[in-house]
Amino acid sequence: MSTVELTKENFDQVVTDNDFLLIDFWASWCGPCRQFAPVYDSASERHPDLVFAKVDTEAQQELAAAFEIRSIPTLMIVRDNVAVFSQPGALPEAALEDVIGQARKLDMDEVRKSVEEQQQAQQEKP
């Protein structure tokens, strides 16, 4: 499956329409990004049921800023509109497969419950 290019115009729609999304934040001048690209692309071939997307941090600076991207490449996984993974650095193929496997196994009801508890704790702080 080919990767989807995310922009500020289509980002919300793509995230809303897909319950499992991997996002690669990258830039053309970034050496590690270029090294990670074939690993990411081959994973997209092995997981046709998942949506693989890319954000060019140069062209989409607002998106990169919104997600506080400080280092590229950064891989983010979003399930059911919840970011469940975010890590800078080019992952080797085995590590990427492991992360995808772990994200697939997540109980999203538990994740949502945990997010709600964290939000409530933040609101209760003076």
Side-chain angles (χ1 to χ4, degrees):
M1 179 178 179
S2 62
T3 56
V4 177
E5 189 66 35
L6 291 181
T7 65
K8 65 181 185 187
E9 290 78 22
N10 73 355
F11 186 86
D12 289 341
Q13 188 69 49
V14 172
V15 170
T16 302
D17 289 352
N18 297 284
D19 58 358
F20 197 122
L21 180 69
L22 291 91
I23 306 169
D24 175 22
F25 290 87
W26 69 284
S28 60
W29 51 263
C30 164
C33 297
R34 289 194 305 270
Q35 290 174 330
F36 181 59
V39 173
Y40 191 72
D41 291 342
S42 73
S44 75
E45 299 293 326
R46 287 191 302 278
H47 300 278
D49 58 319
L50 306 181
V51 176
F52 286 73
K54 289 182 168 265
V55 174
D56 180 344
T57 57
E58 289 294 302
Q60 300 298 321
Q61 293 181 12
E62 287 179 46
L63 271 181
F67 287 97
E68 299 178 358
I69 302 302
R70 303 272 183 260
S71 177
I72 52 174
T74 290
L75 177 67
M76 184 176 289
I77 298 178
V78 178
R79 281 199 54 199
D80 301 341
N81 289 326
V82 177
V84 296
F85 178 85
S86 181
Q87 178 179 311
L91 294 174
E93 194 167 307
L96 178 58
E97 287 298 317
D98 184 51
V99 166
I100 292 170
Q102 289 181 47
R104 282 185 185 275
K105 292 177 190 168
L106 286 175
D107 178 338
M108 289 310 294
D109 290 332
E110 286 295 318
V111 170
R112 278 189 286 279
K113 182 179 172 193
S114 175
V115 168
E116 281 179 30
E117 288 169 358
Q118 288 174 5
Q119 288 172 342
Q120 287 176 349
Q122 290 292 329
Q123 291 170 358
E124 291 170 7
K125 284 186 178 177

